[in-house]
Every structure is written in structure tokens, then in C-alpha cells.
Amino acid sequence: MSKSKKVPYLVDRPMSFCPGCGHGIAIRLVAECLEELGQADNIVFPIGVGCSSLLGGGIEADRLHCSHGRAGAVATAIKRCNPNNVVISYQGDGDAYSIGIGETTSAAYRNERFTTIIINNTNYGMTGGQMSNTTLPNQKTNTSVYGRDCSVTGNPIRFPELAADQFNVGYAARGSVHDVPNIRKTKSYIKKAIEMQLSGEGYSVVEVLSPCPTNWKMEPLEAMKHIAEHVTTYFPLGEFVEKEEK
Amino acid sequence: MPKVMTKPERCKQCGLCVDACPKQAISFGDGINAGGYNYTVIDESKCIACGMCYTICPDGVFEVLGEK
């Protein structure tokens, strides 16, 4: 009896994320795409710091744990030295957008030939739920206890739109994992991003909206509904740029 | 006929599969796994092996075996 839907062998081990966390789904989607494209043995993951670091313990592939926010720079080096490897930097929003905004933006600006997967849960999850660059207006976190005041802290950053509008990137999209149809759509985005890297067209970025039940202080189902009702209103889903493949 | 297999030792009791199942075939059983979580069980008489649970589960508890 063959398996029609099996967990990819890359991630077929227990993950150490909180119950209801979206990281597990996103990592499985990446592994599924790599298996389908025949690149499962040709992958290197530069991993950011934060909850995304737990990918290191949950995946059976080459990976490198980078300094905080610098996965974009490390991925650039790996891809330039080993152009035949598929390089996917796996980062959180605090890592890629707050501390590593310089590296992430520079990689997009130079149109480096690697893929970035950014898990956006609108806070710094690993350190206990502090405000990040993507925290929604009026969202309460440990460091914005009265709600985020955008007149003082600035507005949440929308990176895929920025990359699509300002830089000559290959692919930019935003997906979500809050329900089954969106998970399937997000998988197609991730697959296109990896295909864009394989064709050598340029930088590809996929932001994945993910729940953080622990730090949002919600039940897992409530957190999924929160994404559908509130987070997607500020972070619209869809593809923002898709270059023609060579 | 395809069949859903589970790995209850991975379940973290988040309940996303219970909500996603279109046939209400998944529920929390009486068992507790090594992590201390009350894991889910599948009512095979209701299950149609659609794979929704596989898609939504963050922890790889479900696998659909067999071709449709």
C-alpha cells in the first residue's frame, strides 16, 4: 500500500513548537515542495534566531544557524559559493524585519538567487511576546501593554510589497496557514519561489502569516480566527510579483 | 480504500484537526501520551480519508495511506 499523503522524510520527527503553532505547517510545506521538485538532498537552510531556530532540531537536512538577523547575508555567501545548492533562509519576522532588516533588504536589492521564507506571527515569539516591526496597530504585547501606538513606533512593515515595488526581485508573495485552502495556496507560493530560484531568475520571498497562541494568549482555534479576521486585513494575502521564468 | 494512520505520541492537543474535519470524525480520546497531552482519535466509520487533518496538523500526527 503506497502512501498518498505522507509527512516528508525531511521533517518526519517530532517538532518542539508550542501546541497550535504555525511553524510546523510551514516547515512541512517547504519540505513537501522540496521533495516534489527533487531537491530534498540538495538543500541548505540558513536559519535565523527565534522560534525559527527550532527548525534546526526538526529537519533532516544541511542547516546553518546564523547570528540574529544575518541569515540573508549568510545565504548570499552560501549561494554564491555553491550555486548548485538550493538555499532557503528560514526566518521569523523579528529576525528578518526588525533586527535583520538591513540584510533582508540588501539581499532583495541585489536580487540574490536564493529564497527567503519569513514566518510572520506579529511578535517576538521566542523571547516571550515583545513588540516587533510587524505588530498590528493597537495590538497588546509585553512591551506595548496599552496597545501599539503607531504614531510613536511606526507602522507595521509589509516587506513583500516593498520588495515587489522597489526592487527587481523574482517572486514575492504572502500566504497564511490559518485554514486548509490557504495552506494549499501557501504551498503553491513556496513552490513557485523555489522554482524561481532553480531557474536563476532572482530573489524570491514568501511571507507566511502564522498563529502564536502562546504569546497572543489565545486558544489555537481562536488564534487561527484572529488571523482570518484581523491580521489578513493589515497583511493582504496574494502574489505581488512573479517574473517570467527564463 | 485509503485509511488515515495516526502517531498519537506527536499530538499536542491543539484541536485544529477536530475543527478542520468535515465529517466530525476526530475527537479527543481518553488517552494521554508521553508529552502529557490528551491525544485525538479517529472514528473510522465516519472518516473519508480526505486528508484535511494531514494538511492542518502542525505536528505530523496524520498520514493518509493508500491511493484513492
Side-chain angles (χ1 to χ4, degrees):
Chain A
M1 193 188 277
S2 63
K3 291 178 178 179
S4 59
K5 277 185 181 162
K6 66 174 190 66
V7 178
Y9 78 89
L10 278 181
V11 289
D12 199 7
R13 56 165 91 172
M15 297 271 184
S16 39
F17 298 109
C18 303
C21 177
H23 269 280
I25 304 173
I27 292 170
R28 196 195 67 230
L29 295 181
V30 174
E32 280 176 4
C33 293
L34 287 168
E35 273 199 356
E36 286 168 20
L37 294 169
Q39 301 295 330
D41 298 324
N42 189 30
I43 176 73
V44 185
F45 282 103
I47 304 169
V49 170
C51 290
S52 51
S53 314
L54 296 173
L55 170 73
I59 200 156
E60 192 65 50
D62 289 338
R63 66 260 186 195
L64 182 66
H65 205 149
C66 311
S67 305
H68 205 344
R70 313 303 177 229
V74 176
T76 302
I78 294 174
K79 188 66 182 178
R80 286 189 179 190
C81 294
N82 302 296
N84 293 327
N85 276 126
V86 175
V87 179
I88 299 179
S89 74
Y90 187 84
Q91 302 175 262
D93 61 295
D95 187 69
Y97 294 160
S98 302
I99 292 161
I101 185 67
E103 279 69 15
T104 311
T105 318
S106 300
Y109 171 69
R110 294 191 305 263
N111 201 17
E112 294 291 345
R113 270 64 176 161
F114 69 89
T115 303
T116 299
I117 307 289
I118 297 165
I119 309 298
N120 179 0
N121 56 12
T122 74
N123 66 50
Y124 285 93
M126 174 67 83
T127 48
Q130 288 83 8
M131 191 185 84
S132 77
N133 274 7
T134 52
T135 298
L136 300 179
N138 300 318
Q139 183 183 338
K140 289 181 182 174
T141 66
N142 286 351
T143 47
S144 59
V145 288
Y146 301 112
R148 180 176 185 176
D149 181 359
C150 290
S151 65
V152 178
T153 59
N155 287 309
I157 189 167
R158 296 187 182 109
F159 184 74
E161 285 94 326
L162 172 75
D165 290 345
Q166 302 294 325
F167 309 129
N168 184 30
V169 299
Y171 186 75
R174 181 184 290 114
S176 171
V177 295
H178 70 267
D179 58 15
V180 172
N182 276 294
I183 291 173
R184 290 185 178 150
K185 236 182 244 176
T186 304
K187 184 181 170 184
S188 74
Y189 297 161
I190 294 174
K191 200 168 184 178
K192 275 185 201 170
I194 299 172
E195 282 168 349
M196 199 58 74
Q197 178 181 166
L198 290 170
S199 72
E201 194 59 66
Y203 185 74
S204 47
V205 56
V206 179
E207 182 182 309
V208 181
L209 300 181
S210 164
C212 185
T214 305
N215 290 312
W216 292 355
K217 300 176 179 59
M218 293 176 183
E219 293 290 316
L221 279 173
E222 209 185 332
M224 292 298 199
K225 283 195 186 98
H226 177 75
I227 293 183
E229 290 167 7
H230 298 109
V231 183
T232 50
T233 57
Y234 204 87
F235 294 106
L237 307 178
E239 295 169 298
F240 304 108
V241 65
E242 184 184 357
K243 264 193 198 169
E244 292 281 319
E245 287 187 27
K246 276 177 190 170
Chain B
M1 182 67 189
K3 200 177 170 187
V4 175
M5 304 298 287
T6 63
K7 292 177 182 166
E9 70 276 8
R10 291 191 182 179
C11 182
K12 290 180 186 160
Q13 204 184 337
C14 65
L16 297 179
C17 53
V18 178
D19 185 64
C21 180
K23 294 286 178 185
Q24 287 81 46
I26 306 177
S27 59
F28 289 110
D30 299 325
I32 304 284
N33 63 15
Y37 298 109
N38 179 6
Y39 56 82
T40 52
V41 289
I42 295 181
D43 181 348
E44 287 190 12
S45 63
K46 292 182 184 170
C47 179
I48 54 168
C50 60
M52 292 280 192
C53 48
Y54 166 83
T55 308
I56 198 84
C57 181
D59 295 292
V61 172
F62 303 96
E63 283 190 332
V64 185
L65 299 180
E67 298 296 334
K68 283 180 185 170

